[in-house]
Amino acid sequence: MTTTIDNKNGSSIQDFLRQGKESRFVIPEYQRPYAWGEDEVQTLFDDFVEYTRQNLDSPYFLGTIVSFTNDNNEQEIIDGQQRITTLCLLLRALYSKIEKMDPSKEQNNFINQIEPVLWETDKLSGEPDKSKTLLESRAFESEYNNLLKNIIETGVAERDAKDNYSKNYLLFQDLIDQYAKDEPLTFYNFVYNILNKAIVLPIRADSQDTALTIFSTLNDRGLPLSDADIFKAKIYNNIKNPESRDEFIQKWQDISSNADYADEGIQKLFYYYMFYLRAKDNDKKTTTPGLRKYYSSNAFSRLYEQDLLDNLSTILNFWSVVKNREELEGEAWSKNIDILKVLDILTSYPNEFWKYPVINYYLSYKDKDDFEINFLKFLKKLFVNLCSRYIVTPTINVVKQSILNLNADIIINENPQFEFRPVDKNVIRDELKNPHKNVVRMLLKLIAYDNDKQNELLPDKWEIEHILPNKWQSSYFPSSSEEEVNETIEHLGNKIPFEKKLNIIASNGYFEKKKELYKKSKIYIVKELSESNVIDWQLEQIRERDIRLADRIIEIFDAWYADHAGGKDQTLTDEERKLIESLRSKGVEIKL
């Protein structure tokens, strides 16, 4: 499809690429490798053929090219690397074809037009130095960058090559040969249109951040560059030793792929680590800085710390246990079923606030002899504080400041102070009858794990089962209103965790029928329900179970909260804390 624009707002491909003589084009390290394949190349070529066939006066718009000039006077391509790379391959293929054609004024003209688009040329003779290409790819994690330079330099690619540069260049050669054979009279018009009537809109930003912002705003075709892409390039460029660079590449790739497998992603690891670093700096501000802004301060110095990747890897190990249920060699906590149960419960908390203090605690104390014991106590108390508060006030921001204060206290105190306000047990009891939907999964896990026979984690895939089904017959409860029945059905006393496959089969069957399926469950509170003497599950049974569950949940809250040794009266005094914070603000590292 052709887009018509005002020539004043665009630049022809020839004029745009010629700028590379003054300021070379580079695909920077943080860009992803060249990804266009046969479909994109065929589409681009077909569009140029159709444009030439229609003999249109209006230009052919190829989109925007976003760049900024770096400290080496190079144009770093932020948006448009796929197009600019593909166009250079196309022009090199055209140049190779034209070189072999019969001498003519047209041949000489277009040879002279293409050469200063691809290579530096002598200012007097106009002769090209083909070893000095005007486009270079430095894309990180791409082993084929040299192939792009070699193709533009020599015009040769291996037929059995697997990289996109070679495959696309060879495809262009085949398409050009066929077009020249089929349309000899319009061939040079075709070349002219590519060089002079194909238009791009160059946007040269004043900084990398501005360029990335523009790119994120304009880009709706693919994945925008992540902060982690920028960090990767910064760290790589800061390493001068080639062997160390190779080690970094391998380690980054390992962390990145394993983070994806743990459903976290390397960018999230940087985010969690930011909260750890902020805690070490005693930063308790509730406004969370942008990831790139945080790590770019002080000339990206945080990225150049020697232990950065090791700490990211440690955070990843933690998530491998939580998400993938892996066991870590030499770390007994990763096999401790009680710890794993509480962590599994916390994963159902409605947002990520719980993650920051847990990761901070793990990074700070994982190597201590008594870590396993203290970690369990810490997790229990964190859960009680978060869950009880959410039961009463189901909004996430109510705990934000307390979490940030806790983060900072963890750094200096293995038994940190929890500043969450106490919650009235009677209020909790009332709310537990029909708790907010966001807290139900946490509570069902808590109830399930409270069973002494539940020595394994719940299955990955389970659903909330309504013992008395949502769909019921009005004749079944003649003395109760529809509103009363529907309200009671949603009580916690009518819900259990149930394997997804079994739950689908159970559907909206009634209790006596579903008990046979409950027997097959590996969740013991479900299995025990199948062994009960109750024949018919009615509103009365739901209300009785409401009371039992509320009593037991409050008992667990009391026991888990009391089990933790932390707390203002049992650890540091206010004066001690103020002194420690004062010393830390002066750069003194203190850990208790």
Side-chain angles (χ1 to χ4, degrees), residues 33 80 573 589:
T573 65
E589 186 168 340

Side-chain angles (χ1 to χ4, degrees), residues 18-72:
R18 276 175 177 263
Q19 298 173 23
K21 182 177 181 179
E22 305 300 327
S23 182
R24 192 181 192 204
F25 295 105
V26 297
I27 311 299
E29 292 87 346
Y30 47 81
Q31 283 283 15
R32 297 181 177 88
Y34 180 56
W36 271 23
E38 180 180 342
D39 290 344
E40 290 85 0
V41 166
Q42 185 71 58
T43 299
L44 180 67
F45 192 86
D46 290 346
D47 280 355
F48 282 135
V49 169
E50 180 63 17
Y51 179 84
T52 301
R53 186 189 67 80
Q54 293 183 23
N55 195 26
L56 298 173
D57 292 329
S58 58
Y60 175 79
F61 184 52
L62 279 167
T64 58
I65 303 289
V66 181
S67 67
F68 85 99
T69 305
N70 64 23
D71 294 339
N72 296 320

Side-chain angles (χ1 to χ4, degrees), residues 418-462:
F418 286 76
E419 296 182 351
F420 302 87
R421 290 183 291 114
V423 181
D424 190 310
K425 292 180 185 178
N426 291 324
V427 177
I428 294 178
R429 192 183 303 275
D430 290 340
E431 294 295 333
L432 279 174
K433 182 185 297 181
N434 191 5
H436 191 278
K437 62 180 182 179
N438 288 346
V439 82
V440 170
R441 291 185 73 88
M442 272 201 303
L443 293 173
L444 290 181
K445 285 182 177 181
L446 180 67
I447 295 163
Y449 288 138
D450 185 49
N451 190 299
D452 292 337
K453 297 179 181 178
Q454 192 67 45
N455 294 320
E456 296 180 354
L457 295 180
L458 300 189
D460 285 332
K461 295 181 180 179
W462 62 269

Side-chain angles (χ1 to χ4, degrees), residues 493 534 537-551:
V534 178
W537 190 266
Q538 298 196 26
L539 302 185
E540 180 183 352
Q541 280 71 37
I542 295 175
R543 293 174 180 131
E544 288 177 355
R545 189 166 181 260
D546 280 337
I547 296 171
R548 292 198 308 273
L549 292 183
D551 288 344

Side-chain angles (χ1 to χ4, degrees), residues 5 9-17 19-20 23-28 31 36 44 60-69 74-88 134-135 198-207 210-212 214-216 218-219 221:
I5 64 167
N9 295 328
S11 177
S12 70
I13 294 300
Q14 180 176 192
D15 289 341
F16 175 70
L17 291 177
Q19 298 173 23
S23 182
R24 192 181 192 204
F25 295 105
V26 297
I27 311 299
Q31 283 283 15
W36 271 23
L44 180 67
Y60 175 79
F61 184 52
L62 279 167
T64 58
I65 303 289
V66 181
S67 67
F68 85 99
T69 305
E74 299 168 324
Q75 291 188 64
E76 290 193 16
I77 304 299
I78 302 296
D79 183 25
Q81 71 134 322
Q82 305 292 333
R83 279 164 289 150
I84 194 172
T85 302
T86 305
L87 285 168
C88 285
L134 301 186
L135 173 68
I199 300 295
V200 294
L201 182 62
I203 301 177
R204 190 179 295 196
D206 57 358
S207 69
T210 302
L212 288 166
I214 295 170
F215 168 57
S216 298
L218 295 175
N219 183 59
R221 299 173 302 281

Side-chain angles (χ1 to χ4, degrees), residues 375-578:
F375 192 38
L376 178 58
K377 291 178 179 179
F378 170 79
L379 292 174
K380 285 180 174 180
K381 189 167 185 180
L382 178 66
F383 163 73
V384 172
N385 277 282
L386 291 175
C387 186
S388 61
R389 174 55 52 194
Y390 200 92
I391 289 171
V392 176
T393 311
T395 58
I396 55 177
N397 286 326
V398 72
V399 299
K400 190 171 186 179
Q401 186 63 69
S402 297
I403 286 290
L404 292 169
N405 293 342
L406 177 61
N407 282 349
D409 202 47
I410 287 170
I411 301 299
I412 61 171
N413 188 3
E414 192 173 2
N415 295 312
Q417 177 180 342
F418 286 76
E419 296 182 351
F420 302 87
R421 290 183 291 114
V423 181
D424 190 310
K425 292 180 185 178
N426 291 324
V427 177
I428 294 178
R429 192 183 303 275
D430 290 340
E431 294 295 333
L432 279 174
K433 182 185 297 181
N434 191 5
H436 191 278
K437 62 180 182 179
N438 288 346
V439 82
V440 170
R441 291 185 73 88
M442 272 201 303
L443 293 173
L444 290 181
K445 285 182 177 181
L446 180 67
I447 295 163
Y449 288 138
D450 185 49
N451 190 299
D452 292 337
K453 297 179 181 178
Q454 192 67 45
N455 294 320
E456 296 180 354
L457 295 180
L458 300 189
D460 285 332
K461 295 181 180 179
W462 62 269
E463 295 179 340
I464 298 174
E465 155 76 350
H466 290 73
I467 304 171
L468 179 64
N470 281 315
K471 295 182 180 180
W472 51 277
Q473 296 178 7
S474 57
S475 60
Y476 200 65
F477 302 106
S479 60
S480 300
S481 67
E482 181 178 351
E483 181 181 2
E484 178 188 3
V485 176
N486 286 333
E487 193 271 338
T488 306
I489 281 175
E490 291 302 324
H491 282 200
L492 189 64
N494 190 47
K495 295 176 180 178
I496 52 175
F498 197 27
E499 289 91 337
K500 184 176 181 179
K501 288 183 179 180
L502 293 175
N503 192 42
I504 292 172
I505 298 172
S507 186
N508 286 307
Y510 282 95
F511 186 64
E512 188 63 24
K513 180 180 178 181
K514 290 196 290 187
K515 283 173 73 172
E516 292 302 314
L517 291 170
Y518 290 170
K519 287 181 182 178
K520 299 178 181 180
S521 176
K522 293 183 179 180
I523 304 172
Y524 277 90
I525 61 166
V526 179
K527 188 182 292 291
E528 289 178 355
L529 199 59
S530 73
E531 299 167 356
S532 71
N533 296 324
V534 178
I535 298 175
D536 200 7
W537 190 266
Q538 298 196 26
L539 302 185
E540 180 183 352
Q541 280 71 37
I542 295 175
R543 293 174 180 131
E544 288 177 355
R545 189 166 181 260
D546 280 337
I547 296 171
R548 292 198 308 273
L549 292 183
D551 288 344
R552 183 54 190 154
I553 289 171
I554 290 174
E555 286 177 2
I556 295 172
F557 281 4
D558 288 342
W560 284 14
Y561 195 88
D563 194 33
H564 189 273
K568 187 173 180 179
D569 295 333
Q570 296 167 304
T571 53
L572 301 175
T573 65
D574 287 339
E575 290 76 14
E576 289 170 333
R577 291 178 185 280
K578 289 178 181 177

